[in-house]
Amino acid sequence: MKSQYEIGMVGLGVMGRNLLLNMADRGYSVAGYDKDAAKVAALRKEAANQAISGAKSLPEFLELLRVPRAVMLLVPAGAPVDAVIHDLLPYLARGDLIIDGGNSHFSDMELRTTKLSERGIQFLAVGISGGEHGARHGPSIMPGGPRDAYERVRPIFEAIAAKVNDEPCVAWLGPGSAGHHVKMVHNGIEYGLMRLIAEIYDFMKRGLGFTDAQIHSVFDRWNHEELNSYLVEITADIFARIDEKTGRRLIDVILDEAGQKGTGMWASQDAMDLQVPIPTIDVAVAMRNLSGYKDEREEAAHVLHRPLSHCEGDRLKFIGQLRSALYAGMIITYAQGMALLAVASVKHEYHLNLEKVARVWRGGCIIRAALLEDICAAFQARGDLPNLLLDPNLSNKVMEHQENLRSLVCAASQLGIPVPGLMVSLGYLDAYRSAWMPANLIQAQRDYFGSHTYERVDAKGAFHTQWSSE
Ligand code: 6PG
């Protein structure tokens, strides 16, 4: 059946294959292609009774698609995306549309758009979150690029996206690379939240001496309270899982080194470029990097010897404190990510509606959480809110929980348990609410050693002092 299929997918890995099956479930006819013939064969087998076709070559794949064609790419970020575009180009025609659904760096969009528009081909850059399960049953989708191009695929995206109160978790977010930028910040927040949860785990394990079963029930209970979120939910599940090979809890046979594909680091790099402080996310990236220094850490454990001590007294009283500290840390992490988006939106001319972004994140994605309802309400009340910590509701919550965050950071530091994510979250909070900061001293030092000049509180202009007589 030539020219029949409504949309095509290049890349039949975990995300591409599941998205394609999701589309087929919603009644769309879809064609898939992968340079790995085994993946095409697997798709054909799985989709025997559905309106799904697997093509063995690119020309065959493109012939299957209804004209003008809509081709979605789910291939690894970077060079593979350009390679696929390069291979597709000879077969594409004016009016066709390419959709990059991978975790591409937002800055790659511009060049690709220019290259494709010379041929009359449109390009959409779409962030997709939710992993394998989300792709199959309802992801959160963050499209950016030409609005008219989005309108072409909107019905499909709305059909496959996660739903919250019947509302699809997808919306056109802005022009150009808006979609991929929002996805990058989503991942930065993801890194931050994962780091905070890991620190809470560390405190429960090494500070309180909790068993995996106890840790499981604590996270499980929290997931039914205000901390309700996907990441807390899966954390509870993880602590319950038994390893088939050893019969032990699986978590205890997993190596303590965490990899990364780079999106969290990109968020930190962009924040540095835009001079937006997002220290919780920066620390999360740094700690993943430190986890990779396993050999050095093992050596240092002997050289920098200081035995971890355990909490004395009523260990259960810490549970409430940990919950509260995590909640405050989570609000502060979202606040940093949203503050980055607010600045990036102006700088990159995305004209983002941050309430819309938060709505799209309420379902399907990795950072979905009950807290996003408060975040939506905050931006609904004030669309140009520069920082969530200025929202009356969220700031009240942070104030309510701050003492617990403070006590936990003190306790962890005394016990020798590393909680840099919680520490910098608290430090960020304390600095952000400081009407005065010691930056006057930094100005003076810069002027002292480099004649960089300084500003004064009582007069406009740039001033310089001859600080030393030498
Ligand atoms: C998502 C995730 C996903 C991400 C992986 C791995 O929203 O579904 O963010 O896109 O790529 O979770 O990320 P790292 O390898 O960087 O941890």
Side-chain angles (χ1 to χ4, degrees), residues 36 45 49 56 72 91 93 110 121 162 195 201 215 241 257 263 266 278 284 380 382 399 404 433 457-458 461-462:
D36 179 352
K45 205 168 154 203
N49 301 320
K56 286 188 179 145
M72 190 156 185
Y91 308 102
E110 209 173 309
I121 297 161
R195 176 69 211 164
Y201 155 48
I215 298 173
R241 181 57 69 95
E257 283 185 60
T263 41
W266 293 346
I278 57 163
Q380 195 172 40
R382 186 176 162 192
M399 288 300 99
N404 282 321
R433 62 177 187 78
V457 293
D458 56 1

Side-chain angles (χ1 to χ4, degrees), residues 103 128-131 183 186-187 190-191 259-263 288 366:
N103 271 335
I128 301 179
S129 176
K183 176 62 178 26
H186 165 285
N187 281 32
E190 173 184 305
Y191 274 53
Q260 56 187 304
K261 295 210 188 85
T263 41
R288 277 209 203 182
I366 306 297

Side-chain angles (χ1 to χ4, degrees), residues 26-49:
R26 312 282 154 206
Y28 291 95
S29 57
V30 287
Y33 169 75
D34 196 293
K35 62 180 194 273
D36 179 352
K39 287 191 178 141
V40 177
L43 178 73
R44 284 183 162 181
K45 205 168 154 203
E46 185 165 0
N49 301 320

Side-chain angles (χ1 to χ4, degrees), residues 88-361:
L88 281 169
L89 265 181
Y91 308 102
L92 293 179
R94 190 162 278 280
D96 287 346
L97 166 67
I98 293 186
I99 305 153
D100 177 7
N103 271 335
S104 290
H105 194 281
F106 73 93
S107 64
D108 286 342
M109 159 100 186
E110 209 173 309
L111 210 61
R112 289 174 186 154
T113 302
T114 313
K115 190 171 161 194
L116 290 166
S117 66
E118 283 163 7
R119 308 278 294 264
I121 297 161
Q122 285 189 304
F123 189 54
L124 274 181
V126 180
I128 301 179
S129 176
E132 181 173 1
H133 185 269
R136 184 70 179 83
H137 303 287
S140 166
I141 309 180
M142 296 152 250
R147 179 138 204 182
D148 56 331
Y150 173 64
E151 291 302 327
R152 283 174 59 178
V153 286
R154 186 159 85 134
I156 304 181
F157 282 3
E158 289 186 349
I160 63 167
K163 309 284 180 307
V164 172
N165 306 329
D166 288 335
E167 206 184 305
C169 293
V170 55
W172 180 78
L173 296 178
S177 51
H180 274 156
H181 195 287
V182 168
K183 176 62 178 26
M184 177 187 78
V185 175
H186 165 285
N187 281 32
I189 295 171
E190 173 184 305
Y191 274 53
L193 301 179
M194 289 166 77
R195 176 69 211 164
L196 298 180
I197 293 171
E199 291 180 3
I200 297 288
Y201 155 48
D202 194 357
F203 195 93
M204 285 197 265
K205 182 183 169 77
R206 295 197 287 177
L208 302 176
F210 278 16
T211 63
D212 292 330
Q214 287 171 315
I215 298 173
H216 157 75
S217 42
V218 170
F219 279 115
D220 189 48
R221 191 163 359 111
W222 289 355
N223 188 43
H224 294 93
E225 299 168 0
E226 61 188 352
L227 278 172
N228 171 259
S229 57
Y230 174 71
L231 284 169
V232 170
E233 179 190 332
I234 64 164
T235 302
D237 277 0
I238 287 168
F239 283 98
R241 181 57 69 95
I242 304 293
D243 176 36
E244 285 173 10
K245 194 171 155 204
T246 58
R248 297 172 60 194
R249 298 267 166 168
L250 182 56
I251 187 73
D252 297 318
V253 291
I254 296 179
L255 186 67
D256 60 328
E257 283 185 60
Q260 56 187 304
K261 295 210 188 85
T263 41
M265 178 185 72
W266 293 346
S268 280
Q269 287 170 332
D270 188 51
M272 290 284 172
D273 285 343
L274 298 177
Q275 300 181 341
V276 182
I278 57 163
T280 310
I281 295 167
D282 299 338
V283 156
V285 177
M287 289 301 117
R288 277 209 203 182
N289 292 337
L290 188 56
S291 79
Y293 288 71
K294 176 79 173 162
D295 293 345
E296 275 184 51
R297 286 192 285 117
E298 281 178 347
E299 194 181 333
H302 298 291
V303 182
L304 306 166
H305 190 60
R306 182 178 186 271
L308 288 174
S309 39
H310 292 287
C311 283
E312 303 297 337
D314 182 5
R315 296 180 313 160
L316 291 180
K317 87 169 172 32
F318 275 99
I319 302 286
Q321 195 175 80
L322 286 163
R323 189 195 63 223
S324 180
L326 178 57
Y327 192 61
M330 278 176 77
I331 296 175
I332 294 166
T333 305
Y334 281 102
Q336 292 171 18
M338 287 309 204
L340 171 56
L341 281 181
V343 174
S345 174
V346 175
K347 171 78 182 170
H348 303 305
E349 298 180 10
Y350 294 146
H351 308 286
L352 291 177
N353 173 335
L354 293 182
E355 186 202 339
K356 212 195 256 183
V357 171
R359 294 186 90 76
V360 165
W361 287 350

Side-chain angles (χ1 to χ4, degrees), residues 9-64:
M9 181 75 68
V10 177
L12 299 176
V14 172
M15 291 299 282
R17 190 175 134 272
N18 282 294
L19 274 175
L20 194 126
L21 294 169
N22 185 350
M23 288 173 187
D25 282 349
R26 312 282 154 206
Y28 291 95
S29 57
V30 287
Y33 169 75
D34 196 293
K35 62 180 194 273
D36 179 352
K39 287 191 178 141
V40 177
L43 178 73
R44 284 183 162 181
K45 205 168 154 203
E46 185 165 0
N49 301 320
Q50 282 171 293
I52 299 180
S53 184
K56 286 188 179 145
S57 69
L58 265 187
E60 184 195 327
F61 166 71
L62 289 160
E63 287 224 327
L64 289 169

